Amino acid sequence: MPSTVVVKNVPRPDLALLNRLGQFGVATVHEAQGRTGLLAPYMRPIYAGAKASGSALTVLAHPGDNTMLHVAAEVCRPGDVIVVALSSENSDGLLGELLATSFRARGAVGLVIDAGCRDVAEMAKMGFPVWSKAISAKGTVKATLGSVNVPVVCAGAVVQPGDAILADDDGIVTVPQSELDAVLQAAQQREEREAKVRARLAAGELGLDIYNMRPKLAQLGLTYIEPPPSGGAQT
Amino acid sequence: MPSTVVVKNVPRPDLALLNRLGQFGVATVHEAQGRTGLLAPYMRPIYAGAKASGSALTVLAHPGDNTMLHVAAEVCRPGDVIVVALSSENSDGLLGELLATSFRARGAVGLVIDAGCRDVAEMAKMGFPVWSKAISAKGTVKATLGSVNVPVVCAGAVVQPGDAILADDDGIVTVPQSELDAVLQAAQQREEREAKVRARLAAGELGLDIYNMRPKLAQLGLTYIEPPPSGGAQT
Amino acid sequence: MPSTVVVKNVPRPDLALLNRLGQFGVATVHEAQGRTGLLAPYMRPIYAGAKASGSALTVLAHPGDNTMLHVAAEVCRPGDVIVVALSSENSDGLLGELLATSFRARGAVGLVIDAGCRDVAEMAKMGFPVWSKAISAKGTVKATLGSVNVPVVCAGAVVQPGDAILADDDGIVTVPQSELDAVLQAAQQREEREAKVRARLAAGELGLDIYNMRPKLAQLGLTYIEPPPSGGAQT
Amino acid sequence: MPSTVVVKNVPRPDLALLNRLGQFGVATVHEAQGRTGLLAPYMRPIYAGAKASGSALTVLAHPGDNTMLHVAAEVCRPGDVIVVALSSENSDGLLGELLATSFRARGAVGLVIDAGCRDVAEMAKMGFPVWSKAISAKGTVKATLGSVNVPVVCAGAVVQPGDAILADDDGIVTVPQSELDAVLQAAQQREEREAKVRARLAAGELGLDIYNMRPKLAQLGLTYIEPPPSGGAQT
Amino acid sequence: MPSTVVVKNVPRPDLALLNRLGQFGVATVHEAQGRTGLLAPYMRPIYAGAKASGSALTVLAHPGDNTMLHVAAEVCRPGDVIVVALSSENSDGLLGELLATSFRARGAVGLVIDAGCRDVAEMAKMGFPVWSKAISAKGTVKATLGSVNVPVVCAGAVVQPGDAILADDDGIVTVPQSELDAVLQAAQQREEREAKVRARLAAGELGLDIYNMRPKLAQLGLTYIEPPPSGGAQT
Amino acid sequence: MPSTVVVKNVPRPDLALLNRLGQFGVATVHEAQGRTGLLAPYMRPIYAGAKASGSALTVLAHPGDNTMLHVAAEVCRPGDVIVVALSSENSDGLLGELLATSFRARGAVGLVIDAGCRDVAEMAKMGFPVWSKAISAKGTVKATLGSVNVPVVCAGAVVQPGDAILADDDGIVTVPQSELDAVLQAAQQREEREAKVRARLAAGELGLDIYNMRPKLAQLGLTYIEPPPSGGAQT
């Protein structure tokens, strides 16, 4: 049970694939892989329009302690998205603009943290996208070791080192490296289907017809009625 | 106990009245009808400056299931605000930009949902205003029926089909159809009174004097003192 | 046990010191005074880029009752930041743009409230910065007395009347009047140190080296390993 | 818009029907009326084994103010369950053992409050069952009027005066007076069906067979597989 | 700014006074001192019937670190109630039965912690009363210093070392040492008054009459009406 | 991406090992495996003194849908603890006493569900231990497939099918099958060490000495002072 390890040289997905991933939205990719891989919705971007697509460099840290983020910076490579999980619930500001500067200098394209971050105005100005569960100026210590590049549970989802990570205004989704190709294809097909559906909906057609929902609704017993004559609504 | 009905042809307020309603703010209208009708403050707009005023088309849906939103689109009319209540607490993204496109094509002017929504960047670009309790990319199924245009409890408030709905940066308020005229008059008077008060406050006059609060404060025993000499603050 | 008092003529910090304080960020000042004085992170500004630095005019109010905010306006002086604590948890909109207009007319430079506020669009347009735990149009009564300029617990932190208050996108920090000078010096030194560290980090140097963390990490037993050969990640 | 009324002489269900209702559990009755009428699960009894069945005497109160509970006591009749809704979120202890003594003396058989209560040890000793969202010793004022026996939204459910209320360890359900007879019959049938199912389940039969679920599961594509040979768990 | 101190030999209230305090309930004492001093209601006892009355030995600890509880044990004296505040929100189990054994051996009569505790079954068996915001088996480290016997904010209330602390099923209240005598007298008087009121309420008299509320209710405009004839409930 | 599978014949730990596990407490086992494997503390037992130790039969279910619990019953074996994870946050009552009867008949020794349960009085009477995040009578549908015996994230922790599960009043911990032997040994040693420590603490010895904490505290700069002479507490 070695509880504090740093795994080096984790295999990453091809950067070209990560770039293609970044052309989709989180909702599309989540659907394309069978509605899996989504982090919990309490994770929010620090500015509207934030977007990142990269390879997960995972960090397991402890409440109020940012030691392992510094350790992670050393093994960070271009195209990485840092994914920070905590050993227990905490909202302290483990990430600030100094660390963000360091991660950016090492090639990181974004950061996801199931805790707090601070210096959000500076990080927004830098254009360094961060998703967190809180914004907090609470400072941290450097006292306790965690791990880097081990599987973690971040905001309710398992993230493996080297997973593809996609994050935007809708949230964050993780895609296993082995499934990235298939998911990209499925996402592409989904987008094409949706473009056609969008045009029909915009023209006034109904999802009831486009998705052929009427037979099932009838079978389930959906009933259409008129409002009661005197308008006396009852609850 | 017919548990899954769609009520068609619900009487709506006059569009001219709904437009007038849209010229006020939510706080003003809430006050004008005796501090009632407000939805809970956890409901937030997906972009700053969102505003909608329309007739409530109510939807009762189930966690993780957006069937009834498609059903609602068919009975939607120009000027409607879709109001989605859930049968139990849930934050899944029942609404995305495809459904928003459909609602807009049918004339809806906004949507209020006591659950999650996704594709928020796209909906903001469309200028389709949405108020929700969460932003979540979590996809949904189409398996279980609810109802359309029945009275619902949405974010702690009863909304009747055909109620006037007003929503802005401050939240959401519902006005019974039968009281809309009276509420509009009261709101108008309130705005005029407030304009005068605002000018006096801006000039440095005090609410204590404008609202004649001093006698009551004195009667309740308010005491003015100087700080203790040595500055020894006590808690 | 006089439970409803208004303390007049509370000594304030020098305006020049408060202006200097406003040139730092909340995170810096929080660190500079030994990681103390921070309000809880659920307090959020009503618009991005909000910033205020002033002397605390404290208010103890009751749920759903804004009487004491009107009382506070009378004893407000230029440079004050109004700090409103509640006697129990509440999110009603105790502050709206009329009261904000009054506070601004009396010289207040911002407001912090451990409850709700409304008219956020108008207050943003005015450029009156507010930090609150909720946005709520819920109106209030004027029925029960609290106090003004007594020590309060606001969002988990003790605020004394006349404390220096600094608030920005990262949150809110309070600095005891007697420590303001020392904290300003420490903040200045911290900023200078951080500028140097930032430049080194931006150039690719690691925090591990800059902060000399490697010996401690080694002592604590940090181990670097390669990933398992077959890529079989285990949780 | 009369905002503060007390409705007297509200018609109640027959006491015999309320007694019969009390012989069922909340879950059974909730199912028997088509999965409706349930209050939110954050409402908890103050002691294990609490149970009440009666006619709803509704109260709309304000945060931190218990005036209307005293008003309600006067119109309380034997067999009533007091149902207290708040005009906004609040956890103050609006109910204590003195008020409980008063309600019991007037014939009330229990109380449901979407706020806090105190003196829980005393009320448990009295055997007066209370369901609340918090236990809080926070005292209240008597300053602002609400209403008695108007429809309210309590813990997310509409409660009409004179509704039948059933509460136990599982929560609280409300049954419209006009549907009480039908719901009691449905509950009785449900209990009889469940007794048979229980016996079969206890004997080792499966719900899959008793409820004939296998054809639908097969149609939906459920697949049975063996674990991977090497035990390499994948997430 | 010495951030890590242990204050020794803090003056405590007389044990006889603390014993008298323990004969009252938390709600009574909170009222008797003007509705102040209450900790937030999310603090709950680990077993029903828990009660403690003692002198506050305050501890400021950090998330996930129980170092300072061990430090506190050394300066603990008979009659102390340990009051543990955290520097930021945390639910880890900082207290377990070993530490409880130590505190008890040093004379402590209870413990209040704004974080988690574990071994609750063992502590209940010992009869060592604990109030916490969570029950969590999450273990802790011993890495970072805090303070002992400095003023702290615990669950939203300021607690000074040597304050009298009273805790029971209703929550926790703190009484400044200098006010303990007066509060005990006021509590005694309150209990006597309440005994009389209780007897009258139990006999069916109404609070409306006992507290002479009717004139104020009439003045505020309370109106009594009969229900609408057709029973058509309106929301 | 087969999204709905049932894995049969998952290898389980030896029953004798599971029995040995049940002789320890959750906190001990969590510590013994390096402070890992703990589920989040919002999971609570439905009655005090609940305890279970068994092999994880995992279930991935959807909000408001208990289909997969019935599917799980068929592959349940004596000694299993059912561990139910949800695809998104939900508190509906997916488990009731009928299903509990079925699980018990198939040999299950307990159930852990990251959602709600109902019929808690009946399940307590049966002595069937359940840990859940809510108690809710909200009924469910049988419409959507999930999976059985796949790895799940339950209350923030990864649980693999066949993991050893231990649950008691302090919470729930999961132990990988491959580590069970080692963890049992470590737990045994820990208990023996703790018994000695407990005796010393009960005799008044301090953790400071037993754990040899004084040198580190001194090195970190812990300072002991006397209280200020005039007792003027400062915050």
Side-chain angles (χ1 to χ4, degrees):
Chain A
M1 289 166 286
S3 60
T4 63
V5 299
V6 181
V7 182
K8 297 188 295 184
N9 302 314
V10 165
R12 270 85 164 172
D14 194 85
L15 281 182
L17 292 184
L18 294 174
N19 285 344
R20 270 183 63 201
L21 182 67
Q23 292 162 8
F24 297 103
V26 164
T28 298
V29 169
H30 158 66
E31 293 279 1
Q33 69 175 336
R35 291 192 192 120
T36 61
L38 209 60
L39 277 67
Y42 61 72
M43 300 291 288
R44 299 303 306 146
I46 60 169
Y47 54 88
K51 182 149 197 177
S53 148
S55 170
L57 190 168
T58 65
V59 180
L60 179 60
H62 297 291
D65 192 313
N66 72 358
T67 305
M68 298 314 290
L69 279 78
H70 286 286
V71 173
E74 187 174 32
V75 297
C76 177
R77 294 191 187 164
D80 281 358
V81 170
I82 319 303
V83 177
V84 186
L86 271 275
S87 61
S88 66
E89 198 170 347
N90 184 249
S91 65
D92 292 356
L94 270 73
L95 174 81
E97 51 98 13
L98 285 184
L99 258 168
T101 298
S102 181
F103 281 123
R104 161 156 292 181
R106 309 296 287 195
V109 296
L111 188 144
V112 171
I113 180 166
D114 195 2
C117 65
R118 54 184 183 172
D119 305 325
V120 292
E122 289 78 1
M123 293 194 296
K125 206 180 299 171
M126 289 167 61
F128 187 75
V130 174
W131 288 256
S132 70
K133 78 166 193 177
I135 294 170
S136 169
K138 185 67 173 56
T140 51
V141 298
K142 294 180 177 42
T144 310
L145 294 189
S147 289
V148 171
N149 275 334
V150 298
V152 294
V153 176
C154 183
V158 174
V159 181
Q160 304 278 356
D163 273 3
I165 297 285
L166 177 67
D168 64 15
D169 289 307
D170 285 344
I172 307 145
V173 67
T174 178
V175 182
Q177 206 173 138
S178 61
E179 298 180 17
L180 183 53
D181 251 326
V183 168
L184 285 170
Q185 283 192 11
Q188 183 65 39
Q189 289 163 7
R190 189 175 174 87
E191 275 220 339
E192 288 161 10
R193 274 199 315 273
E194 289 202 339
K196 289 175 194 158
V197 170
R198 188 179 299 109
R200 293 172 69 182
L201 291 170
E205 255 188 284
L206 290 166
L208 293 182
D209 297 311
I210 297 173
Y211 302 124
N212 191 29
M213 295 169 69
R214 295 189 193 272
K216 183 168 185 190
L217 297 180
Q219 179 201 340
L220 289 171
L222 189 63
T223 310
Y224 289 79
I225 63 175
E226 294 293 321
S230 61
Q234 286 157 341
T235 308
Chain B
M1 288 168 287
S3 59
T4 63
V5 299
V6 181
V7 181
K8 297 188 297 184
N9 302 314
V10 164
R12 269 85 165 173
D14 196 85
L15 283 180
L17 292 184
L18 294 174
N19 286 344
R20 271 183 61 200
L21 182 67
Q23 291 162 8
F24 298 103
V26 164
T28 298
V29 169
H30 158 67
E31 292 279 2
Q33 67 176 337
R35 286 188 198 126
T36 61
L38 210 59
L39 277 67
Y42 61 72
M43 301 291 289
R44 299 302 308 143
I46 59 168
Y47 54 88
K51 182 149 195 176
S53 149
S55 170
L57 190 168
T58 64
V59 180
L60 179 60
H62 298 292
D65 193 314
N66 72 357
T67 305
M68 299 313 290
L69 277 80
H70 286 285
V71 172
E74 187 174 31
V75 298
C76 178
R77 292 190 189 166
D80 281 357
V81 169
I82 318 303
V83 177
V84 186
L86 271 276
S87 61
S88 66
E89 198 169 349
N90 184 248
S91 66
D92 293 354
L94 271 71
L95 175 80
E97 51 97 13
L98 285 184
L99 259 169
T101 298
S102 181
F103 281 124
R104 160 155 293 181
R106 309 295 289 194
V109 296
L111 188 144
V112 171
I113 180 164
D114 194 1
C117 65
R118 53 184 183 173
D119 305 325
V120 292
E122 289 79 0
M123 294 194 296
K125 205 180 301 170
M126 289 168 60
F128 188 75
V130 174
W131 288 255
S132 71
K133 80 165 194 179
I135 294 171
S136 169
K138 185 66 172 58
T140 50
V141 297
K142 292 180 180 41
T144 310
L145 295 190
S147 289
V148 170
N149 276 333
V150 298
V152 295
V153 176
C154 183
V158 174
V159 181
Q160 304 279 354
D163 273 3
I165 296 286
L166 179 66
D168 64 14
D169 288 309
D170 284 345
I172 306 145
V173 67
T174 178
V175 182
Q177 207 172 135
S178 61
E179 298 181 17
L180 182 53
D181 251 326
V183 168
L184 286 171
Q185 283 192 11
Q188 183 65 38
Q189 288 163 7
R190 192 177 173 86
E191 275 219 338
E192 287 160 11
R193 275 198 314 273
E194 288 201 339
K196 289 176 194 158
V197 170
R198 187 180 300 108
R200 293 172 68 182
L201 291 169
E205 254 189 283
L206 290 166
L208 293 182
D209 298 310
I210 296 174
Y211 303 123
N212 191 29
M213 295 170 68
R214 295 189 194 272
K216 184 170 184 187
L217 297 179
Q219 180 201 339
L220 289 172
L222 189 64
T223 311
Y224 288 79
I225 63 175
E226 295 293 321
S230 60
Q234 287 155 342
T235 305
Chain C
M1 288 165 286
S3 59
T4 62
V5 299
V6 181
V7 181
K8 296 188 296 184
N9 302 314
V10 165
R12 268 84 166 173
D14 195 83
L15 283 180
L17 292 183
L18 294 174
N19 286 342
R20 271 184 61 201
L21 182 67
Q23 291 163 8
F24 298 104
V26 164
T28 299
V29 169
H30 159 66
E31 293 279 2
Q33 69 176 335
R35 287 189 197 128
T36 61
L38 208 60
L39 277 66
Y42 62 72
M43 300 290 289
R44 300 301 307 145
I46 59 168
Y47 53 88
K51 182 150 196 177
S53 148
S55 170
L57 189 168
T58 65
V59 180
L60 179 60
H62 298 290
D65 193 314
N66 73 356
T67 306
M68 298 314 289
L69 278 78
H70 286 285
V71 173
E74 188 175 31
V75 297
C76 178
R77 292 191 189 166
D80 282 357
V81 169
I82 319 302
V83 176
V84 186
L86 272 275
S87 61
S88 65
E89 197 169 350
N90 184 249
S91 66
D92 293 354
L94 270 71
L95 175 81
E97 51 98 14
L98 285 184
L99 259 168
T101 298
S102 180
F103 281 123
R104 161 156 291 181
R106 309 296 288 194
V109 297
L111 189 144
V112 171
I113 180 165
D114 194 2
C117 65
R118 54 184 184 171
D119 305 325
V120 292
E122 289 79 1
M123 293 194 296
K125 206 180 299 170
M126 289 168 60
F128 188 76
V130 174
W131 289 255
S132 71
K133 79 165 192 178
I135 294 171
S136 169
K138 185 68 173 57
T140 50
V141 297
K142 293 180 177 42
T144 310
L145 294 189
S147 289
V148 171
N149 276 334
V150 298
V152 294
V153 176
C154 183
V158 175
V159 181
Q160 304 279 355
D163 274 3
I165 297 287
L166 177 66
D168 64 15
D169 288 309
D170 284 345
I172 307 145
V173 68
T174 179
V175 182
Q177 209 172 135
S178 62
E179 299 180 17
L180 183 52
D181 252 326
V183 169
L184 285 170
Q185 284 191 11
Q188 183 65 41
Q189 289 163 7
R190 190 176 174 85
E191 275 219 338
E192 288 160 10
R193 275 199 314 274
E194 289 201 338
K196 289 175 194 157
V197 170
R198 187 179 300 109
R200 293 171 68 182
L201 291 169
E205 254 188 282
L206 290 167
L208 293 181
D209 298 309
I210 296 174
Y211 303 123
N212 191 28
M213 295 169 68
R214 295 188 193 272
K216 184 169 183 188
L217 297 179
Q219 179 200 341
L220 289 171
L222 189 62
T223 311
Y224 289 78
I225 63 174
E226 294 293 321
S230 61
Q234 286 157 342
T235 306
Chain D
M1 288 166 284
S3 60
T4 63
V5 299
V6 181
V7 181
K8 297 187 297 185
N9 302 314
V10 165
R12 269 84 164 172
D14 195 84
L15 282 180
L17 293 183
L18 294 174
N19 285 344
R20 272 183 60 201
L21 182 66
Q23 291 163 8
F24 298 103
V26 164
T28 299
V29 170
H30 158 66
E31 293 279 2
Q33 67 175 337
R35 287 187 197 127
T36 61
L38 209 61
L39 276 68
Y42 61 73
M43 300 291 288
R44 300 301 308 143
I46 59 168
Y47 54 88
K51 181 149 196 178
S53 147
S55 170
L57 190 168
T58 66
V59 179
L60 179 61
H62 298 291
D65 193 314
N66 72 357
T67 306
M68 299 314 290
L69 278 79
H70 286 285
V71 173
E74 187 175 31
V75 297
C76 177
R77 294 191 187 163
D80 281 356
V81 170
I82 319 301
V83 176
V84 186
L86 272 275
S87 61
S88 65
E89 198 168 350
N90 184 248
S91 66
D92 293 355
L94 270 72
L95 175 82
E97 52 97 13
L98 285 184
L99 259 168
T101 299
S102 182
F103 281 123
R104 160 156 290 182
R106 310 295 289 194
V109 296
L111 189 144
V112 172
I113 180 165
D114 194 1
C117 65
R118 54 184 184 173
D119 304 327
V120 293
E122 288 81 0
M123 294 194 296
K125 205 180 299 170
M126 290 168 61
F128 187 75
V130 174
W131 289 255
S132 71
K133 79 164 194 179
I135 294 171
S136 169
K138 185 68 173 57
T140 51
V141 297
K142 292 180 179 41
T144 311
L145 294 189
S147 289
V148 171
N149 276 334
V150 297
V152 295
V153 176
C154 183
V158 174
V159 181
Q160 305 279 356
D163 273 3
I165 297 286
L166 177 67
D168 64 15
D169 288 309
D170 284 344
I172 307 145
V173 67
T174 178
V175 182
Q177 208 173 134
S178 61
E179 299 180 17
L180 183 52
D181 251 326
V183 168
L184 286 171
Q185 283 192 12
Q188 184 65 39
Q189 289 163 6
R190 189 176 175 88
E191 276 219 337
E192 289 160 9
R193 276 198 314 273
E194 289 200 339
K196 290 175 192 157
V197 170
R198 188 181 299 110
R200 294 172 67 183
L201 291 169
E205 254 188 283
L206 291 167
L208 293 182
D209 297 310
I210 296 173
Y211 303 123
N212 192 29
M213 294 170 69
R214 295 189 193 271
K216 184 169 183 187
L217 297 179
Q219 179 200 341
L220 288 172
L222 189 65
T223 310
Y224 288 79
I225 63 175
E226 296 291 322
S230 61
Q234 287 155 342
T235 306
Chain E
M1 289 168 285
S3 59
T4 62
V5 299
V6 181
V7 181
K8 296 188 297 183
N9 302 315
V10 165
R12 269 84 164 172
D14 194 84
L15 281 180
L17 292 184
L18 294 174
N19 285 344
R20 270 184 62 202
L21 182 66
Q23 292 163 9
F24 297 103
V26 165
T28 299
V29 170
H30 159 66
E31 292 279 1
Q33 67 177 336
R35 291 192 192 121
T36 61
L38 209 60
L39 276 68
Y42 61 73
M43 301 291 288
R44 300 301 307 143
I46 59 167
Y47 54 86
K51 182 150 195 176
S53 148
S55 170
L57 190 168
T58 65
V59 180
L60 179 60
H62 297 291
D65 193 312
N66 72 356
T67 305
M68 299 314 290
L69 278 79
H70 286 285
V71 173
E74 187 175 31
V75 296
C76 177
R77 294 190 187 165
D80 282 356
V81 170
I82 319 302
V83 177
V84 186
L86 271 275
S87 61
S88 64
E89 198 169 349
N90 184 249
S91 66
D92 293 355
L94 271 71
L95 174 82
E97 52 98 14
L98 286 184
L99 259 168
T101 298
S102 181
F103 281 123
R104 161 156 290 181
R106 310 295 288 195
V109 296
L111 188 144
V112 171
I113 181 166
D114 195 1
C117 66
R118 54 185 184 173
D119 304 326
V120 292
E122 289 79 0
M123 294 194 295
K125 205 179 300 170
M126 291 168 60
F128 187 74
V130 174
W131 288 256
S132 70
K133 77 166 195 178
I135 294 170
S136 169
K138 185 67 173 60
T140 50
V141 298
K142 292 180 178 42
T144 311
L145 294 189
S147 289
V148 171
N149 275 334
V150 298
V152 296
V153 176
C154 182
V158 175
V159 181
Q160 305 278 354
D163 274 2
I165 297 286
L166 177 67
D168 64 15
D169 288 307
D170 284 344
I172 308 143
V173 67
T174 178
V175 182
Q177 207 172 138
S178 61
E179 299 181 17
L180 183 52
D181 250 326
V183 168
L184 286 170
Q185 283 192 10
Q188 184 65 38
Q189 289 163 7
R190 190 176 174 87
E191 275 218 338
E192 288 161 9
R193 274 198 315 272
E194 289 201 339
K196 289 174 193 159
V197 170
R198 188 179 299 107
R200 293 172 68 182
L201 291 169
E205 254 189 284
L206 290 167
L208 294 182
D209 298 310
I210 296 174
Y211 303 123
N212 191 28
M213 295 170 69
R214 295 189 193 273
K216 184 168 184 189
L217 297 179
Q219 180 201 338
L220 288 172
L222 189 63
T223 310
Y224 289 79
I225 63 174
E226 295 292 322
S230 60
Q234 287 155 342
T235 307
Chain F
M1 289 165 285
S3 60
T4 63
V5 299
V6 181
V7 181
K8 297 187 297 182
N9 302 315
V10 164
R12 268 85 165 172
D14 195 86
L15 282 180
L17 293 183
L18 295 174
N19 286 344
R20 271 184 60 202
L21 182 66
Q23 291 163 7
F24 298 103
V26 165
T28 299
V29 170
H30 158 68
E31 292 280 2
Q33 68 176 336
R35 289 190 194 123
T36 60
L38 208 60
L39 276 67
Y42 61 73
M43 300 291 288
R44 299 302 306 144
I46 59 168
Y47 53 88
K51 182 150 195 176
S53 148
S55 170
L57 190 168
T58 64
V59 179
L60 179 60
H62 297 290
D65 192 314
N66 72 357
T67 305
M68 299 313 290
L69 278 79
H70 287 284
V71 172
E74 188 175 30
V75 297
C76 178
R77 293 189 187 166
D80 281 357
V81 170
I82 319 301
V83 176
V84 186
L86 271 275
S87 61
S88 66
E89 199 170 348
N90 183 249
S91 66
D92 293 354
L94 270 71
L95 175 81
E97 52 98 14
L98 285 183
L99 259 168
T101 299
S102 181
F103 282 123
R104 161 156 291 180
R106 310 296 289 195
V109 296
L111 187 144
V112 171
I113 180 165
D114 194 1
C117 65
R118 54 185 185 172
D119 304 326
V120 291
E122 288 80 0
M123 294 194 296
K125 205 179 301 169
M126 290 168 59
F128 187 75
V130 174
W131 290 255
S132 71
K133 79 166 193 178
I135 294 171
S136 170
K138 185 68 173 58
T140 49
V141 298
K142 293 180 178 43
T144 310
L145 295 188
S147 289
V148 171
N149 275 334
V150 298
V152 295
V153 176
C154 183
V158 174
V159 181
Q160 304 279 353
D163 274 3
I165 297 285
L166 177 66
D168 64 15
D169 288 308
D170 284 344
I172 307 144
V173 67
T174 178
V175 182
Q177 208 173 137
S178 61
E179 299 180 16
L180 184 52
D181 251 327
V183 168
L184 286 170
Q185 284 192 11
Q188 184 66 39
Q189 289 163 7
R190 190 175 174 86
E191 274 218 340
E192 288 160 9
R193 275 198 314 273
E194 289 201 341
K196 290 176 194 156
V197 170
R198 187 180 300 108
R200 294 172 67 183
L201 291 170
E205 254 188 285
L206 290 166
L208 293 181
D209 298 310
I210 297 173
Y211 303 123
N212 191 28
M213 294 169 68
R214 294 187 193 274
K216 183 168 184 189
L217 297 179
Q219 179 200 340
L220 289 172
L222 189 63
T223 312
Y224 289 79
I225 63 175
E226 294 292 322
S230 60
Q234 287 155 341
T235 307

